[in-house]
């Protein structure tokens, strides 16, 4: 079964991270995809991702869009094979261990929040 954006958001609000895994090439995605970007397979399956991982890259946003208080830190977290974009708290750096710590909802955007483990 594939994964819809609504299912992804519902799971996130419950503290779970869902992704999709391609059974043909093994690629794992941290956000809903109907088609594998690597091999074009349409057989991608929903999979549960670990809620702890490592900061792959991060940046600090100094000038924020309306509805956000700058500065704040965003980044990409490596969770096993998948990479998930989210908000970072606790002044973490690249390579630091982080854990899912809630969800940020603003301007109709939903994003996971990760904090230092
Ligand atoms: Zn694939």
């Amino acid at each position: 079964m594939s994964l819809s954006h609504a299912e992804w958001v519902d799971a996130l609000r419950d503290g779970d991270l869902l992704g999709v895994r391609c059974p043909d090439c093994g690629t794992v995605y941290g956000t809903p995809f109907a088609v594998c970007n690597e091999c074009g397979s349409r057989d991608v399956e929903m999979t549960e991702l670990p809620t702890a991982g490592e900061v792959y890259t991060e940046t600090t946003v100094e000038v924020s869009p309306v509805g956000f208080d700058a500065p704040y830190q965003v980044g990409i977290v490596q969770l096993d094979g998948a990479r998930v974009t989210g908000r970072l708290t606790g002044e973490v750096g690249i390579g630091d261990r982080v854990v899912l710590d809630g969800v940020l909802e603003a301007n109709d955007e939903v994003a996971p929040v990760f904090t230092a483990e």
Side-chain angles (χ1 to χ4, degrees):
M1 193 177 105
S2 191
L3 173 68
S4 72
H5 185 73
E7 288 169 325
W8 184 80
V9 169
D10 281 349
L12 192 55
R13 286 175 177 148
D14 287 341
D16 293 320
L17 275 172
L18 296 181
V20 293
R21 183 183 174 281
C22 174
D24 292 336
C25 72
T27 303
V28 181
Y29 300 93
T31 46
F33 276 106
V35 178
C36 178
N37 279 351
E38 290 296 320
C39 73
S41 171
R42 293 178 177 274
D43 294 329
V44 293
E45 296 168 341
M46 186 193 298
T47 185
E48 208 162 311
L49 300 176
T51 53
E54 201 170 88
V55 177
Y56 175 73
T57 184
E58 57 83 20
T59 187
T60 298
V61 178
E62 302 284 356
V63 180
S64 70
V66 174
F68 294 91
D69 290 325
Y72 58 86
Q73 200 179 11
V74 295
I76 298 173
V77 176
Q78 182 89 42
L79 305 160
D80 277 354
R83 287 179 185 159
V84 177
T85 302
R87 178 74 69 98
L88 303 177
T89 63
E91 294 185 9
V92 293
I94 291 170
D96 285 353
R97 297 284 303 171
V98 290
V99 61
L100 182 67
D101 186 39
V103 54
L104 179 77
E105 308 204 34
N107 297 356
D108 290 331
E109 301 267 343
V110 179
V113 178
F114 294 94
T115 190
E117 191 173 58

